[in-house]
Structure formats: C-alpha cells, structure tokens
Amino acid sequence: RAAAAEALAAVAGIPVVAVDTPSGVDVDTGELAGPHVCADVTVTFGTHKVAHLVDPAAMHSGVVHLVDIGLKLPEPALEALQPSDVAALLPRPDRQAHKYTRGVVGVRAGSTTYPGAALLSVAGAACGFAGMVRFVGDAEVRDQVRAAYPEVVGEGRVQAWVVGSGSDATAEEALGVALDDDVPLVVDAAALEFADRVTGRPAVLTPHAGELATMLGAERADVEARPLHHLRTAVDLFRTTVLLKGRHSLIGEPGRPVRVTTTGVPWLATAGAGDVLGGLIGALLAAGLSPYDAASVGSWLHGAAATLASQDGPIVASDVARALPGVVATLPA
C-alpha cells in the first residue's frame, strides 16, 4: 500500500527484518506485483512458504530463519530436499554390484563446433553413480572424450540417455535415435527444440528461462517473473519431468509437488555447468532413480558441489564435476 511504501522509502539503506514474509510479495507464487520489502532476514513460522523458496520473491527474503511452533501442516505444494532426503534417495551399490547392475548411461552430446559440451556432459555422467558411460558422437569429439576419460566406451545398450548439449545441427537425429531405445532420457539445449517428441515419456527436460520461453511461446522476462507458473504450464504441456534451471531451480512432474533446489552459489553461473548437470542426472537415471528423483537429487548435488568447489571464489564447470564425490561423502549415512 502507498503508506507502507512511503514508510519503507524513509528507511532506505537500513537493514530490514521481515516477520513471516516480506510485505508486498505474493506468498503463494513467489511473484512480485509492485512495491515490496527487500528483507535482509526473514523469520517465519511453522514451515517455509513458496515466497521464501521461489524467485523472484525468494531473492528479497534474505536469510530465512524457520521457527517451529508445532503447527499441524497440510501436504505441501512445494518441497525443498534436505541432505537427509538426498542421502535416502541416493543410489548406492550393494556388495553384489557390478558395472552393469549399477546402470549404463549413454551420452549423445557435443559436436565439432562445441566439443567442450561433450566433455562436460561426460564429466557429469562419469561422476561414479552409474557403472559405465557410453559416448556416441563425431569421431573427432569421440577421440577427445576418450583421451580425457579412458573409462568411457562406445555405442551399446544403455539404461538412460543424455542428449542435446552442444549437439548443434545433429540434435534432432540424436534425440530420435535415443528415443528408439525406449529408456529414460535427459533432453537439454538444442534437443529441447524437439521436446514435443518426448511428450508423455519418462524424461527430464532441462531448459533455462530462455529455452522454456521458446518452448512455450512466451517471453523470457515473463518466465523469469513467474517461473513457478511457467514450470507448471510446461509440465501440463509435455506430461513429463521438467527442470527449470535458475538461481533456485524448479522441478515439476505431473501429479507431484514441485521441488525447489536451494543449494548453489552465484559462481555456478558459468558456461558448461548445465552440461555437467545433464550428465549427472543421466547417471542417476541409469542407476535406477525415477526422472523426478533424478532431476531433484541431481540438481541438489550440482548446487552443493558448486558450493564445495567454490569456497567463496570463482569456479568453472569442470570444478563442479570433480567436487561431486566430496559432496556425497558429507551426506548422512
């Protein structure tokens, strides 16, 4: 309201503590529609609200401190995994495991134009969650991948595919071949242009705001202003798992609560980070997680690995892949 906005303007520059939620934000959507409080700290009660977790409102909540006051809560519309949740979902090999029982993930990524995308996708896929990684691509790129990752092998049977990162003009063909195997797949980057071919199938679509805008015929600015709305629209349209990448990534699937990823640091906004994420999710799919859980766990681990690798300093995408085993080691047993 005008009087509240005027009062806020009078104390501009002074730290603000919000009680429950910052005034002026939409609590149930995380959207902003006018003047609002930009809090340094928010103290909330009972449970987190959507506005604490979903941008852009979450960016104006500051540090959120949750006080448990013993409320009996309904089923959530939104979830944020915690380390114990990730630990419970994480695929771990049993004593009888061998490379095939742990799952084989295939990567169809990269091109002569973008060979780095293949290397980074494989880096995520070869993080150790799957028993084997297969790479299929241009011979020149294949040689670079094998030089960097001698454990990676060639074409053959897989339990999941990762398709699209850096694929350039070959994305449609790569997606079509992967679909013929009838296994879950991660669809990223150039392959998202053909996402309608994945409708209703077990898959994880991994757009950022610009790519999702193109997929929905929307404006990028509107997707960034209403990410939860547009994620749900995409889930309804494609009837599969959608991961909308961002500061707080959102994961949706038909009939399930939206999950939000709160791990990560601003340094994670670096070229190739999405390629690593796609490979990681593919490995989790091959290891037996559902698309919904693979996207959620993969996104959480990706952000946590970036935080571990960064130590408040700059990182590159390959640092994130290397930090993944260290993150797993910190999870509760």
Side-chain angles (χ1 to χ4, degrees), residues 24 180 237:
D180 287 343
L237 178 63

Side-chain angles (χ1 to χ4, degrees), residues 236-317:
D236 289 342
L237 178 63
F238 295 106
R239 304 196 307 279
T240 193
T241 305
V242 181
L243 191 165
L244 174 55
K245 296 182 288 193
R247 189 187 77 99
H248 281 188
S249 295
L250 301 175
I251 300 98
E253 182 176 280
R256 305 294 294 273
V258 171
R259 285 178 173 166
V260 56
T261 301
T262 57
T263 57
V265 289
W267 294 112
L268 184 53
T270 185
D275 302 335
V276 173
L277 174 62
L280 169 58
I281 295 171
L284 292 168
L285 282 174
L289 291 191
S290 69
Y292 180 64
D293 286 339
S296 307
V297 171
S299 181
W300 192 97
L301 290 171
H302 187 253
T307 303
L308 179 63
S310 169
Q311 299 295 306
D312 296 323
I315 54 175
V316 294

Side-chain angles (χ1 to χ4, degrees), residues 108-109 117 121 161-167 171 175 185-194 204-208 211 243 245 272-279:
R108 292 180 178 271
S121 296
W161 278 110
V162 179
V163 181
S165 301
S167 293
L175 178 60
L185 70 164
V186 179
V187 182
D188 188 34
L192 290 167
E193 181 181 348
F194 313 101
V204 181
L205 310 181
T206 60
H208 56 57
E211 290 165 335
L243 191 165
K245 296 182 288 193
D275 302 335
V276 173
L277 174 62

Side-chain angles (χ1 to χ4, degrees), residues 144-242:
Q144 293 182 54
V145 167
R146 289 178 176 173
Y149 299 95
E151 66 272 26
V152 173
V153 299
E155 194 162 0
R157 186 177 177 184
V158 301
Q159 279 72 56
W161 278 110
V162 179
V163 181
S165 301
S167 293
D168 205 13
T170 64
E172 183 176 15
E173 179 185 358
L175 178 60
V177 174
L179 286 170
D180 287 343
D181 279 344
D182 199 27
V183 297
L185 70 164
V186 179
V187 182
D188 188 34
L192 290 167
E193 181 181 348
F194 313 101
D196 59 306
R197 297 184 60 181
V198 187
T199 299
R201 300 181 67 152
V204 181
L205 310 181
T206 60
H208 56 57
E211 290 165 335
L212 187 62
T214 299
M215 292 162 66
L216 298 179
E219 295 294 326
R220 177 172 187 149
D222 194 36
V223 173
E224 292 173 335
R226 300 193 297 157
L228 186 58
H229 166 80
H230 285 92
L231 174 84
R232 287 171 168 158
T233 299
V235 168
D236 289 342
L237 178 63
F238 295 106
R239 304 196 307 279
T240 193
T241 305
V242 181

